Amino acid sequence: MIKLRKYLKPFIFSIIFSIVFLLIQANCELSLPDYMSKIVDYGIQNGGIENNLPNVIRENEYEKVKFFLEENEQQQLDSIYSKITKENSDYDKYKKEYSILEKENVYVLKNNVNKDIINSLDLAVGKSEIIVSFIDNPEKMQKQNLFDIDTNEGDNKTADMSLMMSSNTDMFSLIKNMPKENRYEFLNKINSQLDNIPETSISQIACTYIKGEYQQVGLNLENVQSSYILNIGIKMLLIAFISAVCAIAVGFLASRTAAGVARALRKDVFAKVESFSNVEFNKFAVSSLITRTTNDITQIQMLIVMGLRILCYAPIMGVIAIMKALSSSTSMSWIILLAVIVILGFMMISFSIVLPRFKKIQKLTDKLNLVARENLSGLMVIRAFGTEDFEEKRFDDTNKTLTKNNLFVNRFMMFLMPFMMLVMNLVQLLIVWVGANQIEASTLQVGDMMAFIQYAMQIIMAFLMISMMFIMVPRASVSANRINEVLQTPLELKDPKEEKPFDDNKKGVVKFKNVSFAYPGASEYVLHNINFTASKGETTAIVGSTGSGKSTLVQLIPRLFEASKGEILIDGVNIKDINQAHLRDKIGYIPQKGVLFKGTIRSNLEYGKENATDEELWKACDIAQASEFIKGKPDGFETEIASGGTNVSGGQRQRLSIARAIVKNAEIYIFDDSFSALDFKTDKNLRSAINKELSDATIIIVAQRISTIMHAKQIIVLDDGEIVGKGTHKELMQNCEVYKEIALSQLSEEEVRNNE
């Protein structure tokens, strides 16, 4: 996969924006449990009171709360509260909300107060409110066993607590008027006892005090609670909407990136295959190249889509969820650690088991494509020999093997979801059990436990998403290696850095100088020391027995293969010093098998020359003896041609292939046994038209029929890769036994003599 990273570079900004959107989405989704916790802890349990700083408080109570704070805390408290009196411009507005204003002034918490200040004052103000509650109603606070105040009347160090706790005593005034040392001793004793109370308990007691204040100032507690819950609910809806927008944006960017990478890969793989010589083609089966260009690239595309949406999202979600969980309750972090270790262990085992299977699946897909392709292309032969049952069994065996491997992988991965769900439920159960004990000990609130459960579930879901990606990553990794194998295949045919100019004095001349050729990896040469010259305006024929190397020899001219030794010159220049495009532009090559492409007769002929005129097309068809059957078609040149030319006969296919090359108006024409499907009359008429219309071109003909080439200016006779004869038909009949044997095997002695 890393080797293909360059294809992601054009989409780097899309990837960056995707990650940014994923971060926003993850933060949004992981903030929802926190808001849910607030609804439970503050909205339901505390009646909409979120912290220990009341939004509004009576002036005398404010002074009491402020009195029990440190000096710096008092200053901070004054900075965040505003005193509302009759002289205030907003008095009428506040009077409608706080009816107590008719009797006494109030302090109102300012808007947009820094949360850090509130958090820093929260615990101190909560303790102060508890002290004020104790002072206002000491008997009630004593019943809650919050304080253990010594009430012995003989205590000289403190005031008479029995007197202070009497209902007729203004306890705050007594404490305020105490000697400084006694007051500090009394307050320190209370604070030391408050330090032993959990923060959650302090908040709950302070909440009771704040609710009492709200009632005193004229607020409806039900409205406070519902307003708080509604406010949090609206925030949650907004966060959910932002999360959805980010998810849609990531989906769009991921799909765009994946489609772009797949398009670039298909383009480069196709271009690479197009530049292959026959040597490289022999390294890969056609079915394998098709699989690599389609199925393998699709695997990469799916991985990028799912990778950006899940593989990148899951770690982000997991990390943020762990941080949130730890901030929510560090005492239960060991539960998360235990779950992560179990899940990672299972994932590593899964990865080690399924990866080899995925490699095997891709190879089996190649084989299945190969069998299917052979069956479809060879359907007529299969029917002719009645081997349908054998081919069905061959396909079925390959299909079953592929199915078994897919079933093994899918069945193994099938346990992934139940395993994750089991871990998820066990973790949830463990959190509830541990959390319940902490709630009982007042070290954890119900909402915090619920939030921790949500964070734990998100962490496990993140690992579940990563594990689901393990189904795709190994297979995509195999596909990436297979694609990279094609892209990194070194080309045998390379264009020169500096192209040499053609010699106009040797235009159309093809010269072989001591040329030998061996297939890569072969121990022996198939062509040995080939020397001959094909001149402009002349026909050079190449004959020989089957396997003598005729087709291989002519395929060296357009560099379909690269000569192992020696030189091939065209227009006086070594073909290795000519760009392949310029070289092949000079050559009209007609292969042994006529190949037509899906389209029309016109589109196939225009492969030779783009935007050729009808006059040029008809002239080429006249030479190739194809005009008659084209005119017989109702649509003429617009007649549809099926893929491979299966809707025309072999002879028509061959004549259209010849016409396609002639349209090119090349300097050199190579006919690689291109007349084999023609009857003798058509063969004769075609050769006659070629000699007449292409008299200025260099003609090289590979043929099995002696009658096709016996009038050639020069005949090259090959036997076992070597030239054993060179000359005219008459000369070769006299001095080349190989040629003579071939001629006499096809013609009678009388026909041979008549043609001499």
Side-chain angles (χ1 to χ4, degrees):
M1 287 296 296
I2 296 175
K3 295 176 182 178
L4 299 179
R5 64 183 181 278
K6 67 177 183 179
Y7 289 94
L8 292 171
K9 287 183 179 178
F11 304 96
I12 189 67
F13 288 109
S14 294
I15 296 171
I16 291 172
F17 281 121
S18 295
I19 294 173
V20 170
F21 283 127
L22 288 175
L23 283 168
I24 297 172
Q25 182 185 355
N27 275 290
C28 287
E29 292 191 6
L30 289 172
S31 65
L32 293 176
D34 185 46
Y35 282 104
M36 179 199 68
S37 173
K38 288 182 178 180
I39 287 177
V40 174
D41 290 339
Y42 305 126
I44 297 174
Q45 289 186 330
N46 290 359
I49 299 170
E50 189 171 352
N51 53 63
N52 298 330
L53 278 72
N55 291 327
V56 59
I57 185 171
R58 290 173 294 170
E59 183 179 8
N60 66 323
E61 291 298 315
Y62 177 82
E63 294 299 334
K64 290 179 182 180
V65 171
K66 179 181 172 182
F67 177 78
F68 295 107
L69 297 177
E70 299 289 339
E71 186 176 349
N72 64 321
E73 292 172 342
Q74 291 178 357
Q75 292 174 355
Q76 284 186 313
L77 196 69
D78 286 335
S79 69
I80 61 175
Y81 275 92
S82 299
K83 185 177 180 181
I84 306 299
T85 64
K86 292 182 179 180
E87 286 73 25
N88 285 90
S89 58
D90 294 335
Y91 176 79
D92 291 335
K93 183 186 74 172
Y94 284 112
K95 184 179 178 182
K96 292 178 181 178
E97 192 172 356
Y98 311 128
S99 58
I100 194 66
L101 275 172
E102 294 181 357
K103 299 177 181 178
E104 60 179 300
N105 299 329
V106 297
Y107 277 84
V108 176
L109 187 68
K110 295 178 181 179
N111 294 325
N112 302 320
V113 177
N114 192 316
K115 288 186 177 180
D116 292 335
I117 297 177
I118 292 178
N119 293 334
S120 65
L121 289 172
D122 190 68
L123 183 60
V125 171
K127 289 180 179 180
S128 182
E129 288 169 344
I130 292 175
I131 296 172
V132 172
S133 298
F134 172 69
I135 291 171
D136 289 344
N137 196 344
E139 292 180 357
K140 182 179 179 182
M141 300 300 287
Q142 283 287 83
K143 288 178 181 178
Q144 294 185 18
N145 296 319
L146 291 173
F147 302 109
D148 182 17
I149 305 298
D150 187 6
T151 60
N152 291 328
E153 295 183 5
D155 192 346
N156 297 323
K157 295 183 180 180
T158 60
D160 186 348
M161 298 306 299
S162 297
L163 178 64
M164 292 172 64
M165 291 182 185
S166 65
S167 57
N168 297 323
T169 304
D170 185 356
M171 194 170 177
F172 179 74
S173 297
L174 288 174
I175 294 172
K176 190 175 181 181
N177 295 321
M178 273 183 183
K180 193 173 184 180
E181 291 181 1
N182 292 348
R183 184 169 69 244
Y184 281 151
E185 184 179 352
F186 172 72
L187 293 177
N188 286 337
K189 191 171 184 179
I190 293 178
N191 282 323
S192 65
Q193 294 186 43
L194 286 174
D195 289 338
N196 296 325
I197 302 174
E199 289 186 18
T200 53
S201 296
I202 290 175
S203 296
Q204 289 172 358
I205 299 169
C207 176
T208 304
Y209 170 81
I210 295 171
K211 285 181 180 179
E213 270 305 297
Y214 283 173
Q215 285 181 320
Q216 291 296 324
V217 300
L219 286 177
N220 187 319
L221 293 181
E222 290 184 0
N223 290 341
V224 172
Q225 183 179 36
S226 59
S227 175
Y228 179 85
I229 293 174
L230 182 62
N231 183 44
I232 296 295
I234 292 172
K235 288 180 180 179
M236 292 179 73
L237 285 174
L238 181 61
I239 290 169
F241 176 76
I242 294 171
S243 176
V245 170
C246 289
I248 293 170
V250 170
F252 171 77
L253 292 173
S255 300
R256 186 173 178 272
T257 300
V261 170
R263 179 188 60 200
L265 278 173
R266 279 192 293 268
K267 178 178 178 292
D268 285 359
V269 170
F270 186 79
K272 184 76 174 186
V273 172
E274 286 279 282
S275 64
F276 279 177
S277 68
N278 288 351
V279 174
E280 283 87 39
F281 266 115
N282 293 335
K283 291 181 181 178
F284 302 96
V286 173
S287 57
S288 179
L289 288 173
I290 293 172
T291 304
R292 293 170 199 243
T293 311
T294 52
N295 182 273
D296 285 328
I297 292 178
T298 301
Q299 295 296 327
I300 301 294
Q301 183 174 351
M302 290 176 62
L303 177 67
I304 294 173
V305 171
M306 302 304 293
L308 286 175
R309 298 180 66 180
I310 295 178
L311 196 59
C312 290
Y313 180 64
I316 293 172
M317 176 72 80
V319 170
I320 298 176
I322 289 172
M323 294 170 62
K324 294 265 189 182
L326 293 178
S327 65
S328 175
S329 176
T330 55
S331 60
M332 291 193 289
S333 58
W334 62 272
I335 300 174
I336 301 294
L337 179 63
L338 179 63
V340 169
I341 291 172
V342 172
I343 293 169
L344 282 176
F346 183 78
M347 288 168 63
M348 295 301 295
I349 294 171
S350 303
F351 186 80
S352 62
I353 291 174
V354 300
L355 182 58
R357 291 283 182 166
F358 279 124
K359 291 181 179 178
K360 192 174 182 180
I361 284 172
Q362 290 305 104
K363 291 180 180 178
L364 288 170
T365 304
D366 279 351
K367 187 176 180 181
L368 187 70
N369 284 341
L370 174 64
V371 174
R373 187 173 180 275
E374 286 180 346
N375 273 267
L376 293 172
S377 59
L379 190 60
M380 300 297 290
V381 176
I382 293 169
R383 289 176 177 173
F385 284 89
T387 56
E388 291 92 342
D389 292 340
F390 171 78
E391 293 298 332
E392 284 179 11
K393 184 178 182 303
R394 189 161 74 106
F395 182 85
D396 193 47
D397 290 342
T398 306
N399 193 28
K400 282 181 178 178
T401 306
L402 177 61
T403 303
K404 285 179 181 177
N405 275 273
N406 276 315
L407 285 175
F408 175 85
V409 171
N410 290 329
R411 283 169 179 167
F412 187 87
M413 301 308 288
M414 179 183 65
F415 290 101
L416 196 62
M417 181 65 76
F419 176 79
M420 290 292 186
M421 294 305 297
L422 176 64
V423 173
M424 187 181 296
N425 290 326
L426 289 175
V427 167
Q428 191 170 354
L429 185 64
L430 192 58
I431 291 171
V432 171
W433 182 68
V434 174
N437 291 325
Q438 294 184 4
I439 291 170
E440 185 181 12
S442 297
T443 57
L444 185 72
Q445 295 193 66
V446 175
D448 289 337
M449 186 191 73
M450 294 175 65
F452 191 86
I453 291 174
Q454 290 296 316
Y455 292 136
M457 296 306 102
Q458 293 284 14
I459 293 166
I460 295 172
M461 286 302 297
F463 280 97
L464 176 60
M465 287 188 284
I466 293 174
S467 62
M468 293 298 290
M469 286 299 298
F470 273 5
I471 299 174
M472 300 181 63
V473 171
R475 190 168 185 178
S477 177
V478 173
S479 296
N481 289 332
R482 284 159 53 86
I483 294 167
N484 193 61
E485 188 180 352
V486 175
L487 294 174
Q488 297 301 319
T489 298
L491 296 177
E492 184 186 45
L493 304 177
K494 297 179 180 178
D495 287 330
K497 293 182 179 179
E498 293 184 8
E499 187 177 18
K500 292 184 179 180
F502 294 107
D503 187 348
D504 292 336
N505 295 324
K506 297 180 180 180
K507 191 173 184 179
V509 176
V510 179
K511 187 173 184 178
F512 278 66
K513 293 175 64 177
N514 302 317
V515 174
S516 297
F517 174 76
Y519 290 103
S523 57
E524 297 180 357
Y525 287 101
V526 294
L527 293 174
H528 307 270
N529 199 31
I530 304 297
N531 289 278
F532 73 89
T533 301
S535 301
K536 179 181 179 181
E538 297 180 356
T539 299
T540 299
I542 302 172
V543 296
S545 58
T546 302
S548 60
K550 304 184 298 296
S551 293
T552 302
L553 187 148
V554 295
Q555 287 175 358
L556 294 176
I557 300 173
R559 293 187 74 188
L560 301 180
F561 287 109
E562 192 80 282
S564 303
K565 290 183 179 179
E567 292 182 323
I568 302 173
L569 307 177
I570 290 182
D571 292 4
V573 181
N574 190 329
I575 60 173
K576 293 181 180 179
D577 296 326
I578 307 171
N579 284 339
Q580 295 177 62
H582 295 162
L583 170 65
R584 289 165 187 164
D585 192 49
K586 283 181 166 289
I587 300 170
Y589 177 70
I590 303 94
Q592 192 170 0
K593 181 182 178 181
V595 177
L596 298 180
F597 301 97
K598 182 174 176 59
T600 62
I601 292 177
R602 180 187 296 277
S603 67
N604 274 275
L605 294 177
E606 287 179 347
Y607 262 82
K609 182 180 179 181
E610 191 176 358
N611 300 322
T613 63
D614 283 358
E615 184 180 353
E616 291 173 318
L617 295 179
W618 281 120
K619 181 179 179 181
C621 292
D622 289 339
I623 297 171
Q625 308 301 302
S627 298
E628 184 177 348
F629 85 83
I630 293 174
K631 290 176 180 177
K633 302 284 185 181
D635 297 326
F637 284 134
E638 306 308 321
T639 301
E640 289 291 328
I641 297 293
S643 178
T646 54
N647 60 336
V648 293
S649 67
Q652 291 172 340
R653 206 160 42 238
Q654 205 162 61
R655 280 178 281 172
L656 287 174
S657 297
I658 295 169
R660 178 172 59 198
I662 294 173
V663 168
K664 191 174 183 179
N665 194 25
E667 296 176 11
I668 303 164
Y669 289 95
I670 301 173
F671 296 88
D672 186 5
D673 200 11
S674 308
F675 308 136
S676 57
L678 305 180
D679 59 78
F680 286 99
K681 180 181 178 182
T682 304
D683 185 345
K684 181 180 178 181
N685 292 338
L686 195 152
R687 285 186 288 108
S688 176
I690 288 174
N691 292 333
K692 179 181 178 182
E693 300 294 339
L694 305 179
S695 58
D696 290 337
T698 303
I699 309 295
I700 300 175
I701 299 176
V702 174
Q704 297 286 351
R705 294 178 186 171
I706 294 296
S707 59
T708 301
I709 52 88
M710 61 194 313
H711 297 292
K713 184 74 175 180
Q714 177 182 226
I715 300 174
I716 309 295
V717 184
L718 289 182
D719 185 37
D720 198 20
E722 296 182 355
I723 295 179
V724 295
K726 186 190 302 182
T728 62
H729 169 71
K730 183 177 181 180
E731 292 169 347
L732 291 172
M733 287 297 296
Q734 294 174 357
N735 55 34
C736 183
E737 285 298 321
V738 174
Y739 182 82
K740 187 174 181 180
E741 287 178 9
I742 295 171
L744 292 176
S745 68
Q746 298 181 20
L747 305 171
S748 64
E749 291 188 14
E750 183 178 352
E751 288 176 313
V752 172
R753 284 196 300 271
N754 290 337
N755 284 293
E756 288 180 354

